[in-house]
Amino acid sequence: MISTAQLESFAQDGCVVIENFLDPAEVATLRRRIATLLSEFDPAEHPLTLFPTANDSQLSADQYFFDSSTKASYFLEHDAVVNGQLVVEPAKAVNKIGHGLHIVDPVFQQITHSRRTQEIAQQLGFRDPRALQSMVICKQPNIGGAVPMHQDSTFLFTDPPSACGFWIALEDCTLTNGCLHFVPGSHRSTPVTRRWIRKPAPEVGTEMVDIEPTFSLYPFKGSKESELLEPEERAVEVAAGSLVLIHDQVLHRSSHNYSSESRWIYTFHIVEGSHSYDDRNWLQMPGKAPLTKL
């Protein structure tokens, strides 16, 4: 459960921190599982697919990416691969493991579908929350790539927009190792104007397209533009075990990790199951199966 004050902060800012969402034992369990997954990464059996983070020109996806919606697939840091070869040890090359950990891995499944997350979704106004795009992001020491300013509904679009990110720190996240930054209140004044979609078959790839400006319906009942946007970014430095809730429209990013420390987090998203989730979204379930109930 989250407090009334936290709900009000989320409505005002578009991002809120819930400290101690996971206890130290739960954090340790997730970290052990991540270490095992990293040890199992075999670059000889991998297409060396990079995680697209930098800019629109690099936002393309291959079939390995598309097939990851129900798997624990590995995506690499840009600076870990030079001329098609790894330049760091395999476990230090992985940027992300996803996007179906909540489906295929019991450890992450238990956290994702916990009563805690279900209660928060209910408090936010979700009637039929569906989980998708679950992933570990490692933000590796020295080479952990920056994620530019974006809105989550650009990539996980429902009509109307409804995505909410659950972002759980598994290490202390600081300015040094690439913590989150967001623009407070930007969800109230910045509609979704673009979508990252699959190219029409038979092409395999993605493209960014413009759409009519669209506002989310949650968690607001009245005007979305009742207050002016705060112009400055805010850093979100949090301790391990903290949960950060991220509204689908809030502008947010993270910096490159130039430090000698990693920045492991686990994140997943929910969308409203009663809203249209079309086949242009990059993430599709095999056989046109419905998204997983939270």
Side-chain angles (χ1 to χ4, degrees), residues 269-294:
H269 297 76
I270 62 173
V271 295
E272 174 52 56
S274 64
H275 294 185
S276 172
Y277 182 91
D278 65 31
D279 59 8
R280 296 205 298 166
N281 279 300
W282 82 263
L283 188 151
Q284 298 293 323
M285 298 290 283
K288 298 187 181 296
L291 298 172
T292 309
K293 283 183 173 290
L294 185 65

Side-chain angles (χ1 to χ4, degrees), residues 154-169:
T154 296
F155 302 92
L156 300 171
F157 187 82
T158 63
D159 186 13
S162 63
C164 182
F166 285 63
W167 193 99
I168 304 170

Side-chain angles (χ1 to χ4, degrees), residues 138-142 144-145 167 170-181 236-238 254-265:
C138 298
K139 190 79 82 165
Q140 297 285 3
N142 302 306
W167 193 99
L170 302 177
E171 298 180 299
D172 293 347
C173 300
T174 68
L175 290 171
T176 303
N177 67 359
C179 69
L180 283 173
H181 292 72
V236 187
E237 294 189 278
V238 295
S254 66
S255 300
H256 191 105
N257 181 10
Y258 292 105
S259 79
S260 60
E261 304 295 330
S262 58
R263 194 222 64 184
W264 288 6
I265 66 103

Side-chain angles (χ1 to χ4, degrees), residues 154-278:
T154 296
F155 302 92
L156 300 171
F157 187 82
T158 63
D159 186 13
S162 63
C164 182
F166 285 63
W167 193 99
I168 304 170
L170 302 177
E171 298 180 299
D172 293 347
C173 300
T174 68
L175 290 171
T176 303
N177 67 359
C179 69
L180 283 173
H181 292 72
F182 77 105
V183 181
S186 53
H187 61 309
R188 291 182 280 107
S189 59
T190 310
V192 180
T193 60
R194 301 192 302 168
R195 287 184 62 184
W196 193 56
I197 64 171
R198 291 189 177 216
K199 291 182 177 180
E203 291 188 79
V204 177
T206 54
E207 59 185 345
M208 194 73 77
V209 298
D210 294 331
I211 63 172
E212 287 295 318
T214 306
F215 276 103
S216 172
L217 293 184
Y218 93 97
F220 312 104
K221 305 302 181 184
S223 170
K224 317 296 187 305
E225 301 180 81
S226 58
E227 298 179 53
L228 293 175
L229 170 68
E230 294 182 39
E232 290 86 11
E233 289 183 5
R234 185 182 300 171
V236 187
E237 294 189 278
V238 295
S242 298
L243 166 66
V244 184
L245 293 176
I246 304 172
H247 189 280
D248 73 282
Q249 281 177 226
V250 78
L251 295 166
H252 62 287
R253 67 173 184 87
S254 66
S255 300
H256 191 105
N257 181 10
Y258 292 105
S259 79
S260 60
E261 304 295 330
S262 58
R263 194 222 64 184
W264 288 6
I265 66 103
Y266 173 58
T267 184
F268 62 92
H269 297 76
I270 62 173
V271 295
E272 174 52 56
S274 64
H275 294 185
S276 172
Y277 182 91
D278 65 31

Side-chain angles (χ1 to χ4, degrees), residues 2-13 16:
I2 56 178
S3 69
T4 299
Q6 288 169 328
L7 281 171
E8 291 175 350
S9 180
F10 183 69
Q12 174 73 15
D13 293 336
V16 68

